[in-house]
Amino acid sequence: MHILVLVHSQGGNCLTLAEHAQRGVESVPGMSAQLKRVPELETEEGLRAHPWTGHVYAERIHPLPVARIDDLAHADGLILGSGTRYGGMSAAMKAFLEKASPLWRSNALLGRPAGVMAVASTPHGGVEQAALGMMVQLMHLGMLMVPCGYATPLLQRTGSPYGAMAIAGGAAGHALSKDDLDVAHYLGQQVAEVTLRLGPKQLRA
Ligand SMILES: Cc1cc2nc3c(=O)[nH]c(=O)nc-3n(C[C@H](O)[C@H](O)[C@H](O)COP(=O)(O)O)c2cc1C
């Protein structure tokens, strides 16, 4: 069975979490994961020319496959990740989810498991709202939320009970910690295990 790990990352931090979530999924026998990015709203030239993140875009973001709405319908489970933008998910992630309205109409994603990840540069800069905002949109699509909870001691040090969350990037230049990466891996495992227990998706007409 297959999990789609779908990310919008500009500085590469959320992408790093997504890579670890992908490994977490793949650590569960019988599960595979594919990492894709949502379509960008900014121009290719603008992204490449950005003074701080242009090299990240060229080296790490651009090579990722760009997701289509169909990819959501064909995955047995989903992990979404976004950088925090003004206390919410990125516009690119939100735009992608809004394009999923045909799947909302057909209930194609009803009952499928999903987890969320977010990164912000400051401790009280809205990382939880970004993650919870993604959860709300996924619940409108009928998806089942798979949280981190507190079953792992990692959650005493980083992450959040809602999903994988971290403080990194921005002017202070915080780097992701090993605990942050391990929480992302843990979330991937959790989503994979729940997906496996629920069984293969039922495709709706
Ligand atoms: C337009 C914009 C808005 C941002 N808004 C916030 C914010 O509200 N709170 C915060 O802590 N960081 C904010 N940031 C910083 C990013 O969340 C941070 O750099 C994070 O590491 C981005 O993840 P990424 O490296 O995966 O792109 C903002 C960055 C940009 C470009």
Side-chain angles (χ1 to χ4, degrees), residues 10-12 46-57 170-171:
Q10 184 176 351
L47 289 162
R48 285 182 184 276
H50 193 285
W52 305 317
T53 58
H55 67 288
V56 181
Y57 177 77

Side-chain angles (χ1 to χ4, degrees), residues 7-173:
V7 70
H8 185 249
S9 177
Q10 184 176 351
N13 293 297
C14 212
L15 173 56
T16 302
L17 291 189
E19 288 164 348
H20 285 262
Q22 179 182 25
R23 283 176 216 155
V25 170
E26 288 172 344
S27 72
V28 176
M31 295 301 298
S32 64
Q34 190 172 17
L35 180 49
K36 294 196 174 187
R37 62 184 173 107
V38 299
E40 295 286 351
L41 299 181
E42 296 176 42
T43 63
E44 179 81 20
E45 300 74 46
L47 289 162
R48 285 182 184 276
H50 193 285
W52 305 317
T53 58
H55 67 288
V56 181
Y57 177 77
E59 288 158 24
R60 297 185 60 205
I61 313 277
H62 181 261
L64 292 172
V66 178
R68 295 152 34 107
I69 295 304
D70 279 358
D71 292 322
L72 293 173
H74 289 111
D76 296 295
L78 175 68
I79 298 176
L80 282 190
S82 171
T84 300
R85 303 283 180 96
Y86 304 138
M89 77 187 90
S90 72
M93 177 59 78
K94 190 159 189 296
F96 184 79
L97 292 174
E98 287 183 18
K99 289 204 189 83
S101 64
L103 304 181
W104 168 75
R105 273 197 298 277
S106 65
N107 288 315
L109 303 180
L110 194 71
R112 290 201 210 160
V116 297
M117 307 184 298
V119 181
S121 60
T122 56
H124 304 289
V127 69
E128 285 191 5
Q129 286 97 313
L132 292 170
M134 284 186 278
M135 277 192 172
V136 168
Q137 301 223 341
L138 296 175
M139 287 191 279
H140 277 254
L141 293 163
M143 301 194 84
L144 297 180
M145 294 306 106
V146 180
C148 282
Y150 277 110
T152 162
L154 286 168
L155 266 292
Q156 301 298 330
R157 302 194 292 272
T158 189
S160 96
Y162 316 117
M165 284 175 217
I167 306 305

